[in-house]
Amino acid sequence: MRAYPHAVDTSRFAVLHDAAESMLDDLHERYMVERRESKELLGAEEALVRMVRLIPRTPAAGPLAIAFTDFPGLVVRLGRWWAEMLPACGCEACDEDPAELVGVLRGQVAALIEGGLWERVRRGVGGSWFETRLIGVELSARREGPLTSRDARDARRCGFAAPVQWAPWPFRPLGV
């Protein structure tokens, strides 16, 4: 995630890192998930970033991955295809409010945890597409995009030929 050339005060987005870190710690304590941390490339021309994944102990529940960029910002992935860049731009003209972006992060992650993410692959004349829907409290969004033939085959092998409604995350038993 590169800084937009007109981004002046990027430090205002550091609050996103703090909010994500706190949220990840809380989710790891409350739910039966495995936490994995690594350094990964976001793209061919990007630097290594810290990536934290929370993977529910039940395969029916959708995973969460958050990349912490140097901007500072976040790349949030829910399930297989839902991806959100926070901030989307970061320039002064767009004037994205960090507090609102924290709300977006929390709302989208809450929808995933509650079982509000639906995904599928569909075939068309021009190739295969992914389709996602995320439904939560005061949230109803839909996205779609093209898939390479390799990604489409892999997705169908993993059960995405039919719509997949990710299950709610399982709570951690008290005292564990």
Side-chain angles (χ1 to χ4, degrees):
M1 180 173 172
R2 295 195 180 143
Y4 189 76
H6 298 14
V8 177
D9 180 23
T10 60
S11 63
R12 64 193 169 118
F13 295 112
V15 67
L16 290 170
H17 282 204
D18 296 338
E21 196 68 59
S22 174
M23 182 186 66
L24 288 165
D25 289 345
D26 180 57
L27 294 174
H28 186 247
E29 287 180 26
R30 293 177 50 212
Y31 295 93
M32 292 179 49
V33 295
E34 178 182 342
R35 183 177 180 143
R36 295 183 189 166
E37 296 197 30
S38 61
K39 292 278 189 181
E40 298 181 23
L41 290 173
L42 282 181
E45 299 177 18
E46 300 292 330
L48 286 173
V49 298
R50 179 174 168 243
M51 178 75 72
V52 179
R53 286 186 167 79
L54 295 183
I55 303 163
R57 302 263 167 132
T58 175
L64 166 66
I66 298 180
F68 293 78
T69 67
D70 290 338
F71 179 73
L74 304 171
V75 179
V76 181
R77 181 170 296 277
L78 310 175
R80 189 172 184 113
W81 294 295
W82 188 274
E84 188 79 37
M85 290 177 60
L86 300 171
C89 177
C91 78
E92 301 305 311
C94 291
D95 195 29
E96 293 172 280
D97 180 7
E100 287 179 15
L101 296 176
V102 168
V104 169
L105 171 67
R106 289 183 179 145
Q108 288 185 2
V109 170
L112 170 71
I113 290 168
E114 294 165 2
L117 180 63
W118 174 92
E119 300 181 294
R120 77 170 181 163
V121 172
R122 60 184 171 87
R123 292 183 187 181
V125 175
S128 294
W129 290 72
F130 72 84
E131 183 178 354
T132 64
R133 291 186 184 150
L134 186 61
I135 299 170
V137 176
E138 298 182 19
L139 171 66
S140 180
R142 179 178 179 268
R143 295 184 181 162
E144 61 180 37
L147 290 172
T148 65
S149 56
R150 180 179 174 206
D151 288 342
R153 275 192 310 276
D154 182 48
R156 284 191 288 277
R157 280 190 208 119
C158 292
F160 285 88
V164 172
Q165 173 84 41
W166 290 107
W169 283 16
F171 283 101
R172 184 175 301 277
L174 295 175
V176 176

